[in-house]
Amino acid sequence: MDSSITEEQDFLDAAMARRDTLAAHLRDELDHDATDRVEVARQRMLRRQYEALRQAGEGLVFGRLDAVDGTVRHIGRIGLFNAPAEGSPDASLDASRDASRDEDEPLLVDWRAPAARPFYTATAIEPQGQRRRRHIRTTGSIVVGVDDEPLVGGGSDASGGGDGLDGLVGEGALLAALDERRTGQMTTAISTLQHEQDAIVRADATGPLIVQGGPGTGKTVVALHRVAYLLFTYRQMAERAVLVLGPSARFLDYIARVLPALGETAVVAATCDTLLPGVTVGRTAGRAVEEIKGRAMWQGVLERRVAALVPAARELKMRWDGDFYVIPAAVVAQALTSAVQGRTYHRARAVFAEQLHQLLADTVAEQRESLLDEMEEGYEDILSRFSVEPSGAASRSDLDGLLSEDEIDELRERIAGNATIARFVESVWPTLEPQTLLRDLLHDPDLLARLAPELTPDEITAVVAEPESWSSGDIPLLDALWELLGDVEEPRPQGEFTADKARSQRGWVYGHVVVDEAQELSEMQWRMVLRRCPSRSVTAVGDIDQTEAAHRHTTWSQAVRAVLGDRWTPAELTICYRTPREVMELTGPVLFEAGSRNAPPRAVRSSGVLPWQLAVTTGELAGIAAQSVQELQQRWEGGTVGVIAPGSRIPGLRAALGDVPLLTATQSKGLEWDATLLIDAEAIAAEPRGFNALYVALTRCTQELGRLTITDPDQPPG
C-alpha cells in the first residue's frame, strides 16, 4: 500500500505541476481590456479554460486504468497533456477534449472522454480490455489511499461481495465515499459513478430522457454529471447554455458547487418560480387552486384569449397633413390576415403597423394622382376656349406632380415616425402587458366561463377568489401568455458570459435542460420547460413515488403525456447508495399506503445502526427533540443532523433547536444528512399526499434515523 501511494503521489505531483504551469500561462494571457470582437471571444475561451484549471485543484486525479496491453491511463477532473499542442500551453486543455486519440496519449484523461468510460463501466464479467481499476483518494494535493479492483482473472463479480449486485463496480471506493460525513453541500462523485448511473450520464441527448430513481439512487449526482458530460461532448451546447431546474432555492444552494467543480460554467440554475426575470412569487396558493392552474387546458384558454384581442377588420379613416384618407375594410382585412400568420400578438401588431404605414403612403400618393388628373383636365378645358395648344411649359409631363418610388418610401418613413399615427395604431391594435392581462382574466368569472369551458363553476369561483399577487401556479400561465404575446421590442442580451445572457432573457433557447425532482412539475410547468428547449433535449430525474405536488399524476406516463405524448425515453436507477438497509426496510409499507406498486430501490450498504423511536407528549417535545439532536451531533461529529417535522410543529420547535436544519418533508426533498430526527410521522402522513411525504422524510439519512412520536396528538402543537 505504501509503495502504491508513493507511486500515485509522484503522478499527482506531476499533474499538479502541469496544471499550475497552464494556469499561470492562461492568467498572463488574459486581457480584460480587449475590445476587438475576435479577441473578446478568445478571451472568453481563455477565461473558461483558466477557471476549469483553477477549480480542478481538489480531486484532480482520482482514478487509474491498467489495460491488458500494458497501457496505463490516469483519470481526472480535467484532461492534461504533457506538452502544449501546436506550441501553445493553453491549447493543451482544448486538446484534452479529444483525450482518446491514439497518436497523442495524454498525461491525464478527462473523466468525460470516451477513453475514461471503462473506469465506470468495466466489470470482471466484461472487463473491456482492462486488467485493473484503481481508485485514488486524495485530500488536496496529498494521496491518502488507493483501492485496487482486479478486472480479469479474479473469478468473482466486480463488487467482490455476495449480494448478487453484479452491476456494481468499485464497491470499496463507493462505500468509503458514502461513509464520509455530510457537510450540507453536495460534492462531486465522479470517481464513484456506477454502471447504471454512467449509462444515463452518457446517454444520447436527442430527446426527452426521464429517469426514475428512488431515494439515494444518485439522481441529482447523475443529472449534474450529465450536464458536465454533455457540455464536454457537445460543445455547441455551451454556446446556448444548459438550464438546471431544481425544486427550491435551498436545493440550488446545495448543488451550487458541483458544476463549477466539474469545470462547467455555461449553466443557469433556477426554479420554475424564478424563470421569469422581474416576476416574484409572493404567496402560497391552496392545493386545489394549484392543481387547477397546473392543467394543460390553460394553454388553449390563453391562446383563445390572445386570439380574441386581435382587432377585427373595419374601415380605417386616417388624418395626414390636414387631410383624411380612408383604408377600405377589405384592404384592412388582408393586412390583418397577412400580419397574424404564425406570429405572436406583438410581432403581428408590428407587421400590421408597417403595412398600415405603407397603405397610408400609397393612399396619399393615389389621392394626389387623382387630384392632379382632375386639375389637368380642368386646365385643358380652359386652354381650349382660346384655341391655344398647351405650351411645352404647360404640358402634362411638366405638370406631373406624381410621387416617385423613392418619394413614397420617404413618405412612408415620415408616417412611421409620426406620433399621431403611432397613437392611431395603438388605438386600433393596442400593446398589452402580460401581467395585467393575466390578472384581468383570472379575476373575471364571465370571461373564464366563456374561454375555459373545461372548468366547473366551483373551480372558476376558487380561481377568481385568489389574491392578485403571484403564486407558483401563476408563473407557467404568465410564461405561456408572455410567449403568445411576444416582446414589444427585441430584447438585448445582458452580460458577458452565455449564462448571464440566458439568465437575463425570458425567451432564451437553451442547448439542454435538466430537471431535478421532475415528478413535481405540473403539465403547464412542463410546457414552460419545452418552451426553453424546443429541440426537446431534456433530462428529467425524479421519483414518482415522492410526488407531493397537487396534481393527480401517479405515473410518469400520466405526468408527461399531455406535453410529450409518447415521445420520451424512460430510464431507471435501481440501487440505493445513500440510505442504509436498516432504514430502507421501513419504506415498503409506506409506499404501499401511498398507492405505489413500485418496489423500493435496493440498499447497497448497512450502517449498523437500527432506527430508533421515542414516544413523547406535546409538552415534552421541544426539550426531548433538542436533547436528541445534541446526542446525534455528538455521534456524528463532523457531519450534519437534520430535523423533519409537520409544518404545524415547526414554530414551536425552532427556538429549542437553534441553527439545526428544521424542515418540512417537502422542504427536505433532495437533501441528505448523516442523521435525521423525524418528528410526528403520523401528522405528516395525514397531510395531502402524506405517505409520499413520509417516504421522503424517512430516506434523508446516510447513517441513523431517530423518530419522535406524539402520544397526545389531539393537543395543539406547543
Side-chain angles (χ1 to χ4, degrees):
M1 177 64 73
D2 290 342
S3 63
S4 295
I5 290 177
T6 299
E7 178 185 14
E8 300 307 338
Q9 183 67 59
D10 291 343
F11 180 85
L12 178 59
D13 292 343
M16 292 289 283
R18 181 66 183 141
R19 164 194 169 269
D20 293 344
T21 298
L22 288 169
H25 176 81
L26 286 170
R27 189 171 56 248
D28 293 342
E29 286 284 308
L30 290 175
D31 178 6
H32 298 284
D33 298 325
T35 56
D36 176 77
R37 203 160 115 189
V38 174
E39 181 59 23
V40 168
R42 177 176 175 273
Q43 288 289 313
R44 190 178 299 126
M45 177 192 69
L46 294 179
R47 190 172 291 110
R48 283 199 301 264
Q49 294 176 351
Y50 173 72
E51 286 299 319
L53 287 166
R54 189 180 66 82
Q55 296 273 1
E58 184 71 33
L60 176 62
V61 181
F62 56 76
R64 168 175 157 173
L65 281 171
D66 291 26
V68 174
D69 64 6
T71 302
V72 174
R73 289 192 175 104
H74 281 82
I75 314 299
R77 283 174 49 181
I78 60 173
L80 296 172
F81 278 81
N82 274 307
E86 300 180 1
S88 172
D90 61 86
S92 68
L93 187 58
D94 274 348
S96 71
R97 298 194 181 282
D98 188 19
S100 62
R101 61 188 186 182
D102 296 331
E103 69 274 12
D104 195 2
E105 189 68 25
L107 173 69
L108 183 64
V109 177
D110 191 299
W111 70 274
R112 294 158 290 194
R117 186 165 194 182
F119 186 79
Y120 306 105
T121 60
T123 67
I125 298 172
E126 296 183 19
Q128 301 176 29
Q130 306 303 314
R131 181 175 59 85
R132 179 180 66 176
R133 171 179 31 239
R134 169 173 287 179
H135 294 267
I136 302 168
R137 300 192 299 278
T138 62
T139 299
S141 59
I142 305 298
V143 176
V144 296
V146 298
D147 179 13
D148 283 342
E149 295 176 75
L151 295 173
V152 293
S156 63
D157 69 37
S159 68
D163 301 304
L165 301 176
D166 294 356
L168 288 176
V169 295
E171 184 177 347
L174 173 66
L175 298 185
L178 290 172
D179 283 334
E180 291 176 354
R181 295 291 179 265
R182 267 46 191 173
T183 62
Q185 286 185 306
M186 178 170 285
T187 57
T188 61
I190 307 168
S191 62
T192 55
L193 286 175
Q194 300 305 295
H195 189 283
E196 68 177 10
Q197 296 174 322
D198 186 74
I200 293 169
V201 167
R202 300 173 193 264
D204 290 339
T206 53
L209 176 69
I210 297 182
V211 181
Q212 162 64 27
T217 54
K219 297 182 295 294
T220 300
V221 167
V222 167
L224 298 180
H225 285 77
R226 178 160 170 77
V227 171
Y229 171 76
L230 292 175
L231 286 171
F232 174 88
T233 307
Y234 307 104
R235 295 312 296 174
Q236 67 273 20
M237 279 189 185
E239 298 173 5
R240 299 304 307 171
V242 170
L243 173 64
V244 177
L245 284 178
S248 65
R250 179 186 291 270
F251 174 82
L252 296 182
D253 290 340
Y254 184 53
I255 67 170
R257 291 170 59 180
V258 176
L259 284 167
L262 295 174
E264 301 302 346
T265 56
V267 176
V268 174
T271 68
C272 286
D273 288 353
T274 62
L275 275 180
L276 295 183
V279 180
T280 303
V281 171
R283 63 184 177 86
T284 300
R287 289 180 64 86
V289 173
E290 290 292 287
E291 187 277 323
I292 293 169
K293 290 182 178 179
R295 298 175 192 171
M297 46 80 58
W298 282 97
Q299 185 68 31
V301 173
L302 297 172
E303 288 173 358
R304 292 190 285 273
R305 178 57 179 148
V306 172
L309 295 171
V310 174
R314 61 182 175 87
E315 180 182 272
L316 298 180
K317 190 175 183 180
M318 306 174 69
R319 186 181 180 89
W320 179 254
D321 278 352
D323 294 319
F324 284 99
Y325 300 90
V326 175
I327 312 296
V331 175
V332 174
Q334 290 177 349
L336 285 169
T337 301
S338 172
V340 168
Q341 289 179 346
R343 295 185 176 96
T344 64
Y345 175 91
H346 285 128
R347 181 59 193 142
R349 179 191 181 278
V351 172
F352 176 73
E354 293 170 0
Q355 293 181 342
L356 201 58
H357 299 154
Q358 185 66 55
L359 288 170
L360 178 57
D362 291 342
T363 302
V364 170
E366 291 168 3
Q367 194 158 318
R368 177 169 179 166
E369 180 180 359
S370 297
L371 180 62
L372 288 172
D373 285 343
E374 292 174 5
M375 290 177 60
E376 184 174 314
E377 289 174 4
Y379 176 64
E380 290 174 345
D381 289 343
I382 294 172
L383 290 178
S384 66
R385 297 176 192 174
F386 298 95
S387 300
V388 177
E389 292 293 329
S391 68
S395 68
R396 176 182 168 90
S397 60
D398 289 324
L399 293 175
D400 187 356
L402 300 181
L403 297 178
S404 67
E405 292 295 330
D406 289 343
E407 288 171 325
I408 294 175
D409 287 343
E410 182 181 344
L411 174 61
R412 177 181 49 75
E413 291 176 4
R414 287 172 51 212
I415 290 171
N418 185 273
T420 301
I421 296 296
R423 287 193 294 272
F424 178 82
V425 173
E426 180 69 20
S427 69
V428 174
W429 193 330
T431 55
L432 298 174
E433 203 282 318
Q435 297 190 51
T436 301
L437 190 61
L438 183 60
R439 284 195 180 98
D440 291 345
L441 171 64
L442 295 179
H443 293 89
D444 187 332
D446 295 333
L447 189 59
L448 278 176
R450 187 167 70 253
L451 295 176
E454 301 92 339
L455 298 179
T456 67
D458 288 344
E459 289 173 336
I460 290 175
T461 299
V463 170
V464 172
E466 287 287 292
E468 288 195 352
S469 59
W470 301 122
S471 70
S472 292
D474 295 316
I475 300 302
L477 306 186
L478 186 57
D479 186 63
L481 189 56
W482 219 312
E483 182 77 7
L484 292 167
L485 291 176
D487 295 303
V488 178
E489 297 180 358
E490 289 294 325
R492 295 183 178 181
Q494 302 294 317
E496 178 183 1
F497 297 105
T498 301
D500 296 328
K501 295 176 182 177
R503 197 176 288 110
S504 70
Q505 283 191 251
R506 181 207 59 81
W508 185 270
V509 174
Y510 290 87
H512 192 79
V513 178
V514 169
V515 186
D516 203 344
E517 301 293 349
Q519 75 277 357
E520 304 298 339
L521 266 60
S522 69
E523 291 171 339
M524 287 303 291
Q525 285 174 324
W526 271 108
R527 287 190 177 277
M528 189 161 56
V529 169
L530 290 191
R531 227 169 266 131
R532 283 153 180 79
C533 193
S535 68
R536 298 185 168 219
S537 183
V538 175
T539 300
V541 300
D543 182 2
I544 203 71
D545 292 324
Q546 294 186 57
T547 305
E548 295 179 75
H551 59 66
R552 302 167 184 172
H553 311 136
T554 57
T555 67
W556 282 113
S557 179
Q558 294 172 350
V560 302
R561 183 186 300 128
V563 179
L564 300 180
D566 296 326
R567 293 177 295 172
W568 54 280
T569 301
E572 189 172 7
L573 295 168
T574 62
I575 301 168
C576 175
Y577 302 103
R578 177 183 65 216
T579 311
R581 288 193 190 99
E582 292 86 349
V583 174
M584 288 305 296
E585 288 173 355
L586 301 175
T587 62
V590 174
L591 272 184
F592 182 83
E593 292 293 339
S596 170
R597 297 301 177 262
N598 296 328
R602 294 173 294 163
V604 75
R605 54 186 281 274
S606 169
S607 68
V609 181
L610 291 174
W612 51 269
Q613 184 169 303
L614 289 177
V616 301
T617 65
T618 298
E620 299 170 329
L621 177 59
I624 293 179
Q627 180 182 345
S628 299
V629 166
Q630 185 177 13
E631 292 172 355
L632 289 171
Q633 288 174 329
Q634 291 172 350
R635 280 199 290 276
W636 304 107
E637 185 177 0
T640 57
V641 175
V643 180
I644 300 175
S648 60
R649 295 199 178 273
I650 285 180
L653 290 167
R654 195 171 299 282
L657 297 182
D659 295 333
V660 176
L662 173 60
L663 308 171
T664 66
T666 299
Q667 292 168 338
S668 73
K669 188 170 294 184
L671 305 181
E672 61 181 43
W673 304 289
D674 293 272
T676 300
L677 182 65
L678 174 58
I679 295 174
D680 200 356
E682 292 80 2
I684 294 176
E687 296 172 348
R689 290 222 181 196
F691 281 101
N692 298 86
L694 183 56
Y695 181 51
V696 173
L698 287 171
T699 54
R700 298 304 96 195
C701 70
T702 65
Q703 305 292 346
E704 182 175 355
L705 173 67
R707 292 168 290 170
L708 300 183
T709 60
I710 311 301
T711 58
D712 54 347
D714 294 333
Q715 291 294 320

